[in-house]
Amino acid sequence: MNTRVNKHIALITGVTGQDGSFLSEFLLDKGYDVHGIIRRSSVDFRQRIAHLEGRPHFHLHYGDITDSMAVLQIVSKVQPTEIYNLAAQSHVQVSFDAPEYTANADATGVLRILEAVRQCGLTATCRIYQASTSELYGKVEQVPQNEQTPFHPYSPYAVAKLYGYWIVREYREAYGMYCCSGILFNHESERRGETFVTRKITLAAARIAQGKQDCLYLGNLSSLRDWGYARDYVECMWLILQQDKADDFVVATGEQHSVREFCQRAFRHAGIELEFRGEGADETGICIGVSGNADPRLVGRTLVEVSPDFYRPTDVVNLWGDPTKARRLLGWNPQRTSFDELIRIMVDHDMAEVAADDAAARVRTNLAEYLEKGIVK
Ligand code: NAP
Ligand code: G4F
């Protein structure tokens, strides 16, 4: 039997990721002590949480979800009341190249968290959220997808995540643990990794509009996704752990769009009107008009091309979530940020980031010139 305690101590694995950074902000605002697990790296990878470091209730611990000893040690030290297991090799395409590592992090990693809680004697006081995914529906057998829809995982990533989903259910039933899966559909933001399709598009739209890139190469333009805003989704993760009874929830907007449509709208927001012509690998996106500060010489040029390099051995092409249960039982609003608003947030951010990079590069060039001319020492 899991009882609610008055202390609010959260442990977040994957704290440096898109969701981990938003969730940290959300929980700190709610008065939690937030502990995050980070991996040692030779380069700086903490941009998303840099603004939180040094805050009195924010603590970081070195560890890795593939390392049982480290996980056990951190859980024992932190004595969390809530664990959010967000750590994962989260890129579907990469999972085809690194299937064994993906299984270790995304499947066995979940088991390590559950076992650490058991070994530390925290089953009665600690609740666990598992970052599950709409990729479980994979080669979809029903549209839209809800909590009853059969799973048909269609990548090494999805197969690993399916183990995570089932081991959470098993520990809930076998040991009465309060552990839940949020089956989250794609959620994006200005902090999204740059190789996921939405962020790749918004960055390219910004660079092309500012003359910094010639063309964007994409894979399957017809793929359909239910895209929401990550900042809204972390609230739902928290709500899932505040219920009387542990349960699993689909988290989605209930709207579906294609990669092509995302692309068209993102470019439009950057001042570039695209028309798609052709089919399959021969499809191209051509500029048919510009507005704002976009360069009029772009008109008539091919700005988007398909590259089979971005095709996947098996691709999930029809994700569309039904968030009825989350809306009804958690009181969560799936439509807080609209699709257009999400694109606006991402493109505005990337337009500013590309312009700032430009300004920084200009300062560097000027500085180099001044140093060369002896103007500054
Ligand atoms: P993300 O930006 O790729 O972040 C992944 C996080 O996991 C990073 O902090 C990463 O650390 C960490 N990590 C990876 N391998 C690790 C390991 N072996 N040990 C410890 N930490 C490790 O992913 P996200 O978009 O925030 O997604 C969060 C979680 O939700 C993931 O589990 C993902 O699979 C799942 N999910 C995401 C979506 C979505 O649309 N975003 C939808 C459904 C489910 P580094 O910074 O050191 O790499
Ligand atoms: O942005 P994506 O790479 O995201 P994907 O595969 O849907 O996975 C993301 O969402 C899952 C939830 O459903 C998470 F579990 C997972 O961790 C991750 O966050 O690709 C979206 C779609 C795919 O069908 C892909 O084939 O876009 C298609 N696509 C077309 N061109 C592309 C590209 N994807 C990427 N990454 N890059 C392209 O150039």
Side-chain angles (χ1 to χ4, degrees), residues 166-329:
W166 278 112
I167 200 70
V168 161
R169 278 187 69 159
E170 177 57 25
Y171 272 54
R172 191 159 74 211
E173 285 171 29
Y175 306 119
M177 286 172 67
Y178 193 113
C179 40
C180 314
S181 290
I183 305 173
L184 270 57
F185 282 63
N186 298 51
H187 44 282
E188 317 294 312
S189 74
E190 64 280 21
R191 297 185 195 170
R192 185 59 144 152
E194 295 178 13
T195 59
F196 295 98
V197 77
T198 56
R199 188 77 197 288
K200 185 172 164 182
I201 292 170
T202 59
L203 267 170
R207 288 190 187 123
I208 290 173
Q210 295 180 39
K212 297 280 170 300
Q213 184 173 331
D214 293 328
C215 187
L216 165 64
Y217 296 92
L218 293 171
N220 185 357
L221 295 174
S222 299
S223 190
L224 297 163
R225 287 291 183 276
D226 178 327
W227 280 296
Y229 186 34
R231 204 185 271 282
D232 301 340
Y233 283 40
V234 299
E235 182 202 9
C236 205
M237 295 177 186
W238 175 77
L239 284 169
I240 289 173
L241 291 196
Q242 312 312 310
Q243 305 310 299
D244 290 339
K245 195 169 155 285
D247 203 353
D248 304 323
F249 290 87
V250 159
V251 184
T253 69
E255 249 187 60
Q256 193 188 49
H257 302 273
S258 68
V259 170
R260 185 183 298 101
E261 191 184 344
F262 190 100
C263 202
Q264 223 155 11
R265 295 208 203 187
F267 273 73
R268 183 173 301 145
H269 194 69
I272 299 167
E273 197 59 41
L274 284 181
E275 185 175 280
F276 281 91
R277 298 178 194 160
E279 270 179 34
D282 295 324
E283 187 168 354
T284 52
I286 293 160
C287 175
I288 54 163
V290 291
S291 60
N293 293 327
D295 186 346
R297 286 172 300 180
L298 290 174
V299 176
R301 277 184 34 198
T302 297
L303 302 182
V304 181
E305 284 187 37
V306 172
S307 164
D309 282 352
F310 298 109
Y311 286 166
R312 296 172 182 183
T314 47
D315 197 11
V316 173
V317 294
N318 195 3
L319 291 180
W320 183 7
D322 171 3
T324 305
K325 182 176 170 186
R327 187 177 13 219
R328 194 164 49 82
L329 298 184

Side-chain angles (χ1 to χ4, degrees), residues 48-62:
R48 295 188 181 106
I49 51 167
H51 59 296
L52 300 176
E53 288 190 49
R55 274 181 64 165
H57 297 285
F58 188 64
H59 316 275
L60 296 175
H61 308 262
Y62 280 107

Side-chain angles (χ1 to χ4, degrees), residues 13-21 37-41 45 48 63-67 85-91 101 105-106 129-135 157 161 182-188 191-193 196 227 230 237:
T13 72
V15 73
T16 54
Q18 170 188 257
D19 293 3
S21 64
I37 300 185
I38 56 169
R39 297 193 286 178
R40 146 83 187 140
S41 164
F45 56 94
R48 295 188 181 106
D64 194 299
I65 197 79
T66 62
D67 178 349
N85 184 37
L86 310 183
Q89 188 303 92
S90 72
H91 204 284
Y101 173 72
D106 300 12
Y129 170 87
Q130 165 58 16
S132 192
T133 166
S134 50
E135 289 289 312
Y157 167 82
K161 284 281 186 178
I183 305 173
L184 270 57
F185 282 63
N186 298 51
H187 44 282
E188 317 294 312
R191 297 185 195 170
R192 185 59 144 152
F196 295 98
W227 280 296
M237 295 177 186

